[in-house]
Amino acid sequence: MTLAWYGHLKFMHDTPLWKAILFSWCIALLEYSFMIPATRLLSQTNWSLGQVKITQEVITLIVFTPFMIFLFKQPFKLDYLWAMCCLLGCIYFVFRSQ
């Protein structure tokens, strides 16, 4: 979803809005085609719905950080490292009760 939501800012900034929306929806459809089966498979394991969602969000943010730094040339901040530590805490707490 990262590319669908933010890719048009890099690759289609001079394109009319309707074309950017159509392009983003095409990418989102492809990404959803992978996410829906993955979510369904994880929900059939012994993971709770909360564990599936937290894992999905952590993966999204792990993908977004290099995307932001390398594609959009945003400077790395130490705060991103602290945020990652908080995400690791989320994973710990959501899986701790098993």
Side-chain angles (χ1 to χ4, degrees), residues 68-92:
M68 175 186 63
I69 292 170
F70 295 116
L71 193 62
F72 284 94
K73 308 295 185 216
Q74 297 289 311
F76 180 79
K77 297 179 183 178
L78 192 56
D79 289 342
Y80 301 148
L81 183 62
W82 301 129
M84 190 58 65
C85 289
C86 291
L87 290 174
L88 292 174
C90 290
I91 292 172
Y92 170 76

mmCIF file with all atom_site columns, all heavy atoms in Angstrom, residues 68-92:
data_model
loop_
_atom_site.group_PDB
_atom_site.id
_atom_site.type_symbol
_atom_site.label_atom_id
_atom_site.label_alt_id
_atom_site.label_comp_id
_atom_site.label_asym_id
_atom_site.label_entity_id
_atom_site.label_seq_id
_atom_site.pdbx_PDB_ins_code
_atom_site.Cartn_x
_atom_site.Cartn_y
_atom_site.Cartn_z
_atom_site.occupancy
_atom_site.B_iso_or_equiv
_atom_site.pdbx_formal_charge
_atom_site.auth_seq_id
_atom_site.auth_comp_id
_atom_site.auth_asym_id
_atom_site.auth_atom_id
_atom_site.pdbx_PDB_model_num
ATOM 1   N N   . MET A 1 68 ? 10.844 5.787  2.277  1.00 0.00 ? 68 MET A N   1
ATOM 2   C CA  . MET A 1 68 ? 10.900 7.215  2.532  1.00 0.00 ? 68 MET A CA  1
ATOM 3   C C   . MET A 1 68 ? 12.328 7.753  2.411  1.00 0.00 ? 68 MET A C   1
ATOM 4   O O   . MET A 1 68 ? 12.568 8.808  1.827  1.00 0.00 ? 68 MET A O   1
ATOM 5   C CB  . MET A 1 68 ? 10.355 7.489  3.937  1.00 0.00 ? 68 MET A CB  1
ATOM 6   C CG  . MET A 1 68 ? 10.460 8.907  4.402  1.00 0.00 ? 68 MET A CG  1
ATOM 7   S SD  . MET A 1 68 ? 9.952  9.077  6.115  1.00 0.00 ? 68 MET A SD  1
ATOM 8   C CE  . MET A 1 68 ? 11.158 8.078  6.947  1.00 0.00 ? 68 MET A CE  1
ATOM 9   N N   . ILE A 1 69 ? 13.298 7.009  2.940  1.00 0.00 ? 69 ILE A N   1
ATOM 10  C CA  . ILE A 1 69 ? 14.682 7.477  2.955  1.00 0.00 ? 69 ILE A CA  1
ATOM 11  C C   . ILE A 1 69 ? 15.308 7.418  1.567  1.00 0.00 ? 69 ILE A C   1
ATOM 12  O O   . ILE A 1 69 ? 15.937 8.383  1.119  1.00 0.00 ? 69 ILE A O   1
ATOM 13  C CB  . ILE A 1 69 ? 15.504 6.656  3.970  1.00 0.00 ? 69 ILE A CB  1
ATOM 14  C CG1 . ILE A 1 69 ? 15.037 6.975  5.393  1.00 0.00 ? 69 ILE A CG1 1
ATOM 15  C CG2 . ILE A 1 69 ? 16.995 6.930  3.823  1.00 0.00 ? 69 ILE A CG2 1
ATOM 16  C CD1 . ILE A 1 69 ? 15.596 6.059  6.461  1.00 0.00 ? 69 ILE A CD1 1
ATOM 17  N N   . PHE A 1 70 ? 15.152 6.286  0.869  1.00 0.00 ? 70 PHE A N   1
ATOM 18  C CA  . PHE A 1 70 ? 15.856 6.109  -0.397 1.00 0.00 ? 70 PHE A CA  1
ATOM 19  C C   . PHE A 1 70 ? 15.102 6.683  -1.599 1.00 0.00 ? 70 PHE A C   1
ATOM 20  O O   . PHE A 1 70 ? 15.718 7.260  -2.489 1.00 0.00 ? 70 PHE A O   1
ATOM 21  C CB  . PHE A 1 70 ? 16.171 4.628  -0.630 1.00 0.00 ? 70 PHE A CB  1
ATOM 22  C CG  . PHE A 1 70 ? 17.129 4.069  0.371  1.00 0.00 ? 70 PHE A CG  1
ATOM 23  C CD1 . PHE A 1 70 ? 16.735 3.078  1.242  1.00 0.00 ? 70 PHE A CD1 1
ATOM 24  C CD2 . PHE A 1 70 ? 18.419 4.557  0.470  1.00 0.00 ? 70 PHE A CD2 1
ATOM 25  C CE1 . PHE A 1 70 ? 17.604 2.574  2.186  1.00 0.00 ? 70 PHE A CE1 1
ATOM 26  C CE2 . PHE A 1 70 ? 19.301 4.071  1.406  1.00 0.00 ? 70 PHE A CE2 1
ATOM 27  C CZ  . PHE A 1 70 ? 18.894 3.069  2.261  1.00 0.00 ? 70 PHE A CZ  1
ATOM 28  N N   . LEU A 1 71 ? 13.804 6.551  -1.641 1.00 0.00 ? 71 LEU A N   1
ATOM 29  C CA  . LEU A 1 71 ? 13.055 7.030  -2.801 1.00 0.00 ? 71 LEU A CA  1
ATOM 30  C C   . LEU A 1 71 ? 12.750 8.520  -2.711 1.00 0.00 ? 71 LEU A C   1
ATOM 31  O O   . LEU A 1 71 ? 12.852 9.236  -3.694 1.00 0.00 ? 71 LEU A O   1
ATOM 32  C CB  . LEU A 1 71 ? 11.757 6.233  -2.951 1.00 0.00 ? 71 LEU A CB  1
ATOM 33  C CG  . LEU A 1 71 ? 11.028 6.412  -4.272 1.00 0.00 ? 71 LEU A CG  1
ATOM 34  C CD1 . LEU A 1 71 ? 11.887 5.946  -5.435 1.00 0.00 ? 71 LEU A CD1 1
ATOM 35  C CD2 . LEU A 1 71 ? 9.725  5.649  -4.262 1.00 0.00 ? 71 LEU A CD2 1
ATOM 36  N N   . PHE A 1 72 ? 12.397 8.994  -1.524 1.00 0.00 ? 72 PHE A N   1
ATOM 37  C CA  . PHE A 1 72 ? 12.047 10.399 -1.360 1.00 0.00 ? 72 PHE A CA  1
ATOM 38  C C   . PHE A 1 72 ? 13.177 11.240 -0.755 1.00 0.00 ? 72 PHE A C   1
ATOM 39  O O   . PHE A 1 72 ? 12.993 12.423 -0.506 1.00 0.00 ? 72 PHE A O   1
ATOM 40  C CB  . PHE A 1 72 ? 10.782 10.538 -0.506 1.00 0.00 ? 72 PHE A CB  1
ATOM 41  C CG  . PHE A 1 72 ? 9.542  10.193 -1.266 1.00 0.00 ? 72 PHE A CG  1
ATOM 42  C CD1 . PHE A 1 72 ? 9.011  8.922  -1.214 1.00 0.00 ? 72 PHE A CD1 1
ATOM 43  C CD2 . PHE A 1 72 ? 8.917  11.134 -2.057 1.00 0.00 ? 72 PHE A CD2 1
ATOM 44  C CE1 . PHE A 1 72 ? 7.876  8.592  -1.920 1.00 0.00 ? 72 PHE A CE1 1
ATOM 45  C CE2 . PHE A 1 72 ? 7.777  10.825 -2.774 1.00 0.00 ? 72 PHE A CE2 1
ATOM 46  C CZ  . PHE A 1 72 ? 7.253  9.543  -2.705 1.00 0.00 ? 72 PHE A CZ  1
ATOM 47  N N   . LYS A 1 73 ? 14.308 10.607 -0.500 1.00 0.00 ? 73 LYS A N   1
ATOM 48  C CA  . LYS A 1 73 ? 15.504 11.307 0.005  1.00 0.00 ? 73 LYS A CA  1
ATOM 49  C C   . LYS A 1 73 ? 15.244 12.078 1.292  1.00 0.00 ? 73 LYS A C   1
ATOM 50  O O   . LYS A 1 73 ? 15.777 13.158 1.516  1.00 0.00 ? 73 LYS A O   1
ATOM 51  C CB  . LYS A 1 73 ? 16.065 12.256 -1.056 1.00 0.00 ? 73 LYS A CB  1
ATOM 52  C CG  . LYS A 1 73 ? 16.310 11.636 -2.410 1.00 0.00 ? 73 LYS A CG  1
ATOM 53  C CD  . LYS A 1 73 ? 17.373 10.590 -2.352 1.00 0.00 ? 73 LYS A CD  1
ATOM 54  C CE  . LYS A 1 73 ? 17.664 10.099 -3.770 1.00 0.00 ? 73 LYS A CE  1
ATOM 55  N NZ  . LYS A 1 73 ? 17.956 8.709  -3.851 1.00 0.00 ? 73 LYS A NZ  1
ATOM 56  N N   . GLN A 1 74 ? 14.406 11.506 2.153  1.00 0.00 ? 74 GLN A N   1
ATOM 57  C CA  . GLN A 1 74 ? 14.153 12.106 3.459  1.00 0.00 ? 74 GLN A CA  1
ATOM 58  C C   . GLN A 1 74 ? 15.313 11.746 4.379  1.00 0.00 ? 74 GLN A C   1
ATOM 59  O O   . GLN A 1 74 ? 15.813 10.623 4.337  1.00 0.00 ? 74 GLN A O   1
ATOM 60  C CB  . GLN A 1 74 ? 12.846 11.574 4.049  1.00 0.00 ? 74 GLN A CB  1
ATOM 61  C CG  . GLN A 1 74 ? 11.625 11.923 3.241  1.00 0.00 ? 74 GLN A CG  1
ATOM 62  C CD  . GLN A 1 74 ? 11.296 13.391 3.323  1.00 0.00 ? 74 GLN A CD  1
ATOM 63  O OE1 . GLN A 1 74 ? 11.247 13.969 4.387  1.00 0.00 ? 74 GLN A OE1 1
ATOM 64  N NE2 . GLN A 1 74 ? 11.077 13.999 2.169  1.00 0.00 ? 74 GLN A NE2 1
ATOM 65  N N   . PRO A 1 75 ? 15.764 12.665 5.212  1.00 0.00 ? 75 PRO A N   1
ATOM 66  C CA  . PRO A 1 75 ? 16.886 12.337 6.104  1.00 0.00 ? 75 PRO A CA  1
ATOM 67  C C   . PRO A 1 75 ? 16.462 11.345 7.193  1.00 0.00 ? 75 PRO A C   1
ATOM 68  O O   . PRO A 1 75 ? 15.327 11.388 7.665  1.00 0.00 ? 75 PRO A O   1
ATOM 69  C CB  . PRO A 1 75 ? 17.266 13.684 6.720  1.00 0.00 ? 75 PRO A CB  1
ATOM 70  C CG  . PRO A 1 75 ? 16.031 14.520 6.603  1.00 0.00 ? 75 PRO A CG  1
ATOM 71  C CD  . PRO A 1 75 ? 15.302 14.046 5.377  1.00 0.00 ? 75 PRO A CD  1
ATOM 72  N N   . PHE A 1 76 ? 17.378 10.462 7.543  1.00 0.00 ? 76 PHE A N   1
ATOM 73  C CA  . PHE A 1 76 ? 17.119 9.524  8.629  1.00 0.00 ? 76 PHE A CA  1
ATOM 74  C C   . PHE A 1 76 ? 17.207 10.274 9.946  1.00 0.00 ? 76 PHE A C   1
ATOM 75  O O   . PHE A 1 76 ? 18.097 11.098 10.148 1.00 0.00 ? 76 PHE A O   1
ATOM 76  C CB  . PHE A 1 76 ? 18.127 8.375  8.614  1.00 0.00 ? 76 PHE A CB  1
ATOM 77  C CG  . PHE A 1 76 ? 17.903 7.387  9.710  1.00 0.00 ? 76 PHE A CG  1
ATOM 78  C CD1 . PHE A 1 76 ? 16.914 6.432  9.590  1.00 0.00 ? 76 PHE A CD1 1
ATOM 79  C CD2 . PHE A 1 76 ? 18.657 7.427  10.872 1.00 0.00 ? 76 PHE A CD2 1
ATOM 80  C CE1 . PHE A 1 76 ? 16.676 5.522  10.601 1.00 0.00 ? 76 PHE A CE1 1
ATOM 81  C CE2 . PHE A 1 76 ? 18.432 6.521  11.895 1.00 0.00 ? 76 PHE A CE2 1
ATOM 82  C CZ  . PHE A 1 76 ? 17.442 5.562  11.752 1.00 0.00 ? 76 PHE A CZ  1
ATOM 83  N N   . LYS A 1 77 ? 16.289 9.999  10.843 1.00 0.00 ? 77 LYS A N   1
ATOM 84  C CA  . LYS A 1 77 ? 16.292 10.611 12.170 1.00 0.00 ? 77 LYS A CA  1
ATOM 85  C C   . LYS A 1 77 ? 16.400 9.511  13.208 1.00 0.00 ? 77 LYS A C   1
ATOM 86  O O   . LYS A 1 77 ? 15.887 8.410  13.019 1.00 0.00 ? 77 LYS A O   1
ATOM 87  C CB  . LYS A 1 77 ? 15.005 11.405 12.405 1.00 0.00 ? 77 LYS A CB  1
ATOM 88  C CG  . LYS A 1 77 ? 14.816 12.569 11.483 1.00 0.00 ? 77 LYS A CG  1
ATOM 89  C CD  . LYS A 1 77 ? 13.508 13.266 11.788 1.00 0.00 ? 77 LYS A CD  1
ATOM 90  C CE  . LYS A 1 77 ? 13.262 14.395 10.828 1.00 0.00 ? 77 LYS A CE  1
ATOM 91  N NZ  . LYS A 1 77 ? 11.975 15.035 11.079 1.00 0.00 ? 77 LYS A NZ  1
ATOM 92  N N   . LEU A 1 78 ? 17.029 9.810  14.300 1.00 0.00 ? 78 LEU A N   1
ATOM 93  C CA  . LEU A 1 78 ? 17.151 8.856  15.390 1.00 0.00 ? 78 LEU A CA  1
ATOM 94  C C   . LEU A 1 78 ? 15.772 8.483  15.941 1.00 0.00 ? 78 LEU A C   1
ATOM 95  O O   . LEU A 1 78 ? 15.576 7.369  16.438 1.00 0.00 ? 78 LEU A O   1
ATOM 96  C CB  . LEU A 1 78 ? 18.032 9.432  16.504 1.00 0.00 ? 78 LEU A CB  1
ATOM 97  C CG  . LEU A 1 78 ? 18.499 8.473  17.576 1.00 0.00 ? 78 LEU A CG  1
ATOM 98  C CD1 . LEU A 1 78 ? 19.252 7.285  16.963 1.00 0.00 ? 78 LEU A CD1 1
ATOM 99  C CD2 . LEU A 1 78 ? 19.373 9.185  18.575 1.00 0.00 ? 78 LEU A CD2 1
ATOM 100 N N   . ASP A 1 79 ? 14.818 9.375  15.785 1.00 0.00 ? 79 ASP A N   1
ATOM 101 C CA  . ASP A 1 79 ? 13.463 9.090  16.245 1.00 0.00 ? 79 ASP A CA  1
ATOM 102 C C   . ASP A 1 79 ? 12.857 7.881  15.542 1.00 0.00 ? 79 ASP A C   1
ATOM 103 O O   . ASP A 1 79 ? 12.021 7.180  16.107 1.00 0.00 ? 79 ASP A O   1
ATOM 104 C CB  . ASP A 1 79 ? 12.560 10.309 16.037 1.00 0.00 ? 79 ASP A CB  1
ATOM 105 C CG  . ASP A 1 79 ? 12.898 11.437 16.986 1.00 0.00 ? 79 ASP A CG  1
ATOM 106 O OD1 . ASP A 1 79 ? 13.565 11.174 18.015 1.00 0.00 ? 79 ASP A OD1 1
ATOM 107 O OD2 . ASP A 1 79 ? 12.504 12.585 16.705 1.00 0.00 ? 79 ASP A OD2 1
ATOM 108 N N   . TYR A 1 80 ? 13.278 7.616  14.300 1.00 0.00 ? 80 TYR A N   1
ATOM 109 C CA  . TYR A 1 80 ? 12.791 6.420  13.600 1.00 0.00 ? 80 TYR A CA  1
ATOM 110 C C   . TYR A 1 80 ? 13.259 5.160  14.317 1.00 0.00 ? 80 TYR A C   1
ATOM 111 O O   . TYR A 1 80 ? 12.533 4.175  14.388 1.00 0.00 ? 80 TYR A O   1
ATOM 112 C CB  . TYR A 1 80 ? 13.268 6.382  12.152 1.00 0.00 ? 80 TYR A CB  1
ATOM 113 C CG  . TYR A 1 80 ? 12.825 7.568  11.324 1.00 0.00 ? 80 TYR A CG  1
ATOM 114 C CD1 . TYR A 1 80 ? 13.610 8.047  10.295 1.00 0.00 ? 80 TYR A CD1 1
ATOM 115 C CD2 . TYR A 1 80 ? 11.611 8.214  11.573 1.00 0.00 ? 80 TYR A CD2 1
ATOM 116 C CE1 . TYR A 1 80 ? 13.208 9.120  9.525  1.00 0.00 ? 80 TYR A CE1 1
ATOM 117 C CE2 . TYR A 1 80 ? 11.212 9.293  10.813 1.00 0.00 ? 80 TYR A CE2 1
ATOM 118 C CZ  . TYR A 1 80 ? 12.025 9.742  9.792  1.00 0.00 ? 80 TYR A CZ  1
ATOM 119 O OH  . TYR A 1 80 ? 11.627 10.812 9.033  1.00 0.00 ? 80 TYR A OH  1
ATOM 120 N N   . LEU A 1 81 ? 14.457 5.197  14.840 1.00 0.00 ? 81 LEU A N   1
ATOM 121 C CA  . LEU A 1 81 ? 14.979 4.058  15.594 1.00 0.00 ? 81 LEU A CA  1
ATOM 122 C C   . LEU A 1 81 ? 14.181 3.854  16.883 1.00 0.00 ? 81 LEU A C   1
ATOM 123 O O   . LEU A 1 81 ? 13.830 2.730  17.231 1.00 0.00 ? 81 LEU A O   1
ATOM 124 C CB  . LEU A 1 81 ? 16.459 4.262  15.909 1.00 0.00 ? 81 LEU A CB  1
ATOM 125 C CG  . LEU A 1 81 ? 17.173 3.133  16.620 1.00 0.00 ? 81 LEU A CG  1
ATOM 126 C CD1 . LEU A 1 81 ? 17.158 1.870  15.766 1.00 0.00 ? 81 LEU A CD1 1
ATOM 127 C CD2 . LEU A 1 81 ? 18.586 3.541  16.937 1.00 0.00 ? 81 LEU A CD2 1
ATOM 128 N N   . TRP A 1 82 ? 13.863 4.948  17.567 1.00 0.00 ? 82 TRP A N   1
ATOM 129 C CA  . TRP A 1 82 ? 13.057 4.845  18.791 1.00 0.00 ? 82 TRP A CA  1
ATOM 130 C C   . TRP A 1 82 ? 11.652 4.335  18.464 1.00 0.00 ? 82 TRP A C   1
ATOM 131 O O   . TRP A 1 82 ? 11.079 3.546  19.221 1.00 0.00 ? 82 TRP A O   1
ATOM 132 C CB  . TRP A 1 82 ? 12.978 6.184  19.521 1.00 0.00 ? 82 TRP A CB  1
ATOM 133 C CG  . TRP A 1 82 ? 14.313 6.726  19.928 1.00 0.00 ? 82 TRP A CG  1
ATOM 134 C CD1 . TRP A 1 82 ? 14.789 7.977  19.681 1.00 0.00 ? 82 TRP A CD1 1
ATOM 135 C CD2 . TRP A 1 82 ? 15.352 6.044  20.628 1.00 0.00 ? 82 TRP A CD2 1
ATOM 136 N NE1 . TRP A 1 82 ? 16.057 8.106  20.173 1.00 0.00 ? 82 TRP A NE1 1
ATOM 137 C CE2 . TRP A 1 82 ? 16.431 6.939  20.773 1.00 0.00 ? 82 TRP A CE2 1
ATOM 138 C CE3 . TRP A 1 82 ? 15.504 4.759  21.150 1.00 0.00 ? 82 TRP A CE3 1
ATOM 139 C CZ2 . TRP A 1 82 ? 17.617 6.608  21.407 1.00 0.00 ? 82 TRP A CZ2 1
ATOM 140 C CZ3 . TRP A 1 82 ? 16.692 4.415  21.787 1.00 0.00 ? 82 TRP A CZ3 1
ATOM 141 C CH2 . TRP A 1 82 ? 17.720 5.327  21.913 1.00 0.00 ? 82 TRP A CH2 1
ATOM 142 N N   . ALA A 1 83 ? 11.104 4.783  17.363 1.00 0.00 ? 83 ALA A N   1
ATOM 143 C CA  . ALA A 1 83 ? 9.779  4.306  16.956 1.00 0.00 ? 83 ALA A CA  1
ATOM 144 C C   . ALA A 1 83 ? 9.824  2.808  16.670 1.00 0.00 ? 83 ALA A C   1
ATOM 145 O O   . ALA A 1 83 ? 8.895  2.075  17.018 1.00 0.00 ? 83 ALA A O   1
ATOM 146 C CB  . ALA A 1 83 ? 9.304  5.071  15.724 1.00 0.00 ? 83 ALA A CB  1
ATOM 147 N N   . MET A 1 84 ? 10.914 2.349  16.060 1.00 0.00 ? 84 MET A N   1
ATOM 148 C CA  . MET A 1 84 ? 11.056 0.918  15.797 1.00 0.00 ? 84 MET A CA  1
ATOM 149 C C   . MET A 1 84 ? 11.134 0.137  17.107 1.00 0.00 ? 84 MET A C   1
ATOM 150 O O   . MET A 1 84 ? 10.563 -0.952 17.211 1.00 0.00 ? 84 MET A O   1
ATOM 151 C CB  . MET A 1 84 ? 12.293 0.652  14.936 1.00 0.00 ? 84 MET A CB  1
ATOM 152 C CG  . MET A 1 84 ? 12.391 -0.759 14.425 1.00 0.00 ? 84 MET A CG  1
ATOM 153 S SD  . MET A 1 84 ? 10.979 -1.312 13.440 1.00 0.00 ? 84 MET A SD  1
ATOM 154 C CE  . MET A 1 84 ? 11.102 -0.253 12.040 1.00 0.00 ? 84 MET A CE  1
ATOM 155 N N   . CYS A 1 85 ? 11.787 0.693  18.095 1.00 0.00 ? 85 CYS A N   1
ATOM 156 C CA  . CYS A 1 85 ? 11.825 0.036  19.410 1.00 0.00 ? 85 CYS A CA  1
ATOM 157 C C   . CYS A 1 85 ? 10.417 -0.074 19.998 1.00 0.00 ? 85 CYS A C   1
ATOM 158 O O   . CYS A 1 85 ? 10.072 -1.093 20.598 1.00 0.00 ? 85 CYS A O   1
ATOM 159 C CB  . CYS A 1 85 ? 12.741 0.803  20.359 1.00 0.00 ? 85 CYS A CB  1
ATOM 160 S SG  . CYS A 1 85 ? 14.485 0.673  19.952 1.00 0.00 ? 85 CYS A SG  1
ATOM 161 N N   . CYS A 1 86 ? 9.610  0.962  19.818 1.00 0.00 ? 86 CYS A N   1
ATOM 162 C CA  . CYS A 1 86 ? 8.221  0.907  20.288 1.00 0.00 ? 86 CYS A CA  1
ATOM 163 C C   . CYS A 1 86 ? 7.444  -0.172 19.555 1.00 0.00 ? 86 CYS A C   1
ATOM 164 O O   . CYS A 1 86 ? 6.638  -0.888 20.160 1.00 0.00 ? 86 CYS A O   1
ATOM 165 C CB  . CYS A 1 86 ? 7.547  2.264  20.103 1.00 0.00 ? 86 CYS A CB  1
ATOM 166 S SG  . CYS A 1 86 ? 8.182  3.556  21.188 1.00 0.00 ? 86 CYS A SG  1
ATOM 167 N N   . LEU A 1 87 ? 7.696  -0.318 18.251 1.00 0.00 ? 87 LEU A N   1
ATOM 168 C CA  . LEU A 1 87 ? 7.022  -1.364 17.479 1.00 0.00 ? 87 LEU A CA  1
ATOM 169 C C   . LEU A 1 87 ? 7.425  -2.748 17.957 1.00 0.00 ? 87 LEU A C   1
ATOM 170 O O   . LEU A 1 87 ? 6.600  -3.656 18.036 1.00 0.00 ? 87 LEU A O   1
ATOM 171 C CB  . LEU A 1 87 ? 7.336  -1.213 15.993 1.00 0.00 ? 87 LEU A CB  1
ATOM 172 C CG  . LEU A 1 87 ? 6.720  -0.014 15.313 1.00 0.00 ? 87 LEU A CG  1
ATOM 173 C CD1 . LEU A 1 87 ? 7.226  0.098  13.884 1.00 0.00 ? 87 LEU A CD1 1
ATOM 174 C CD2 . LEU A 1 87 ? 5.216  -0.108 15.334 1.00 0.00 ? 87 LEU A CD2 1
ATOM 175 N N   . LEU A 1 88 ? 8.692  -2.899 18.282 1.00 0.00 ? 88 LEU A N   1
ATOM 176 C CA  . LEU A 1 88 ? 9.125  -4.181 18.836 1.00 0.00 ? 88 LEU A CA  1
ATOM 177 C C   . LEU A 1 88 ? 8.425  -4.452 20.160 1.00 0.00 ? 88 LEU A C   1
ATOM 178 O O   . LEU A 1 88 ? 8.066  -5.586 20.463 1.00 0.00 ? 88 LEU A O   1
ATOM 179 C CB  . LEU A 1 88 ? 10.640 -4.202 19.002 1.00 0.00 ? 88 LEU A CB  1
ATOM 180 C CG  . LEU A 1 88 ? 11.439 -4.200 17.702 1.00 0.00 ? 88 LEU A CG  1
ATOM 181 C CD1 . LEU A 1 88 ? 12.936 -4.080 17.992 1.00 0.00 ? 88 LEU A CD1 1
ATOM 182 C CD2 . LEU A 1 88 ? 11.145 -5.420 16.864 1.00 0.00 ? 88 LEU A CD2 1
ATOM 183 N N   . GLY A 1 89 ? 8.187  -3.391 20.936 1.00 0.00 ? 89 GLY A N   1
ATOM 184 C CA  . GLY A 1 89 ? 7.414  -3.533 22.165 1.00 0.00 ? 89 GLY A CA  1
ATOM 185 C C   . GLY A 1 89 ? 5.984  -3.965 21.877 1.00 0.00 ? 89 GLY A C   1
ATOM 186 O O   . GLY A 1 89 ? 5.427  -4.809 22.585 1.00 0.00 ? 89 GLY A O   1
ATOM 187 N N   . CYS A 1 90 ? 5.384  -3.423 20.812 1.00 0.00 ? 90 CYS A N   1
ATOM 188 C CA  . CYS A 1 90 ? 4.027  -3.845 20.418 1.00 0.00 ? 90 CYS A CA  1
ATOM 189 C C   . CYS A 1 90 ? 4.007  -5.336 20.114 1.00 0.00 ? 90 CYS A C   1
ATOM 190 O O   . CYS A 1 90 ? 3.103  -6.055 20.553 1.00 0.00 ? 90 CYS A O   1
ATOM 191 C CB  . CYS A 1 90 ? 3.572  -3.076 19.179 1.00 0.00 ? 90 CYS A CB  1
ATOM 192 S SG  . CYS A 1 90 ? 3.247  -1.342 19.448 1.00 0.00 ? 90 CYS A SG  1
ATOM 193 N N   . ILE A 1 91 ? 4.985  -5.781 19.368 1.00 0.00 ? 91 ILE A N   1
ATOM 194 C CA  . ILE A 1 91 ? 5.054  -7.205 19.028 1.00 0.00 ? 91 ILE A CA  1
ATOM 195 C C   . ILE A 1 91 ? 5.205  -8.041 20.292 1.00 0.00 ? 91 ILE A C   1
ATOM 196 O O   . ILE A 1 91 ? 4.530  -9.058 20.469 1.00 0.00 ? 91 ILE A O   1
ATOM 197 C CB  . ILE A 1 91 ? 6.205  -7.478 18.045 1.00 0.00 ? 91 ILE A CB  1
ATOM 198 C CG1 . ILE A 1 91 ? 5.892  -6.841 16.699 1.00 0.00 ? 91 ILE A CG1 1
ATOM 199 C CG2 . ILE A 1 91 ? 6.446  -8.969 17.876 1.00 0.00 ? 91 ILE A CG2 1
ATOM 200 C CD1 . ILE A 1 91 ? 7.028  -6.893 15.724 1.00 0.00 ? 91 ILE A CD1 1
ATOM 201 N N   . TYR A 1 92 ? 6.083  -7.594 21.183 1.00 0.00 ? 92 TYR A N   1
ATOM 202 C CA  . TYR A 1 92 ? 6.294  -8.333 22.421 1.00 0.00 ? 92 TYR A CA  1
ATOM 203 C C   . TYR A 1 92 ? 4.988  -8.468 23.205 1.00 0.00 ? 92 TYR A C   1
ATOM 204 O O   . TYR A 1 92 ? 4.610  -9.563 23.629 1.00 0.00 ? 92 TYR A O   1
ATOM 205 C CB  . TYR A 1 92 ? 7.361  -7.648 23.280 1.00 0.00 ? 92 TYR A CB  1
ATOM 206 C CG  . TYR A 1 92 ? 7.443  -8.222 24.669 1.00 0.00 ? 92 TYR A CG  1
ATOM 207 C CD1 . TYR A 1 92 ? 8.059  -9.446 24.889 1.00 0.00 ? 92 TYR A CD1 1
ATOM 208 C CD2 . TYR A 1 92 ? 6.875  -7.552 25.743 1.00 0.00 ? 92 TYR A CD2 1
ATOM 209 C CE1 . TYR A 1 92 ? 8.117  -9.992 26.159 1.00 0.00 ? 92 TYR A CE1 1
ATOM 210 C CE2 . TYR A 1 92 ? 6.931  -8.083 27.019 1.00 0.00 ? 92 TYR A CE2 1
ATOM 211 C CZ  . TYR A 1 92 ? 7.552  -9.298 27.222 1.00 0.00 ? 92 TYR A CZ  1
ATOM 212 O OH  . TYR A 1 92 ? 7.603  -9.839 28.485 1.00 0.00 ? 92 TYR A OH  1
#
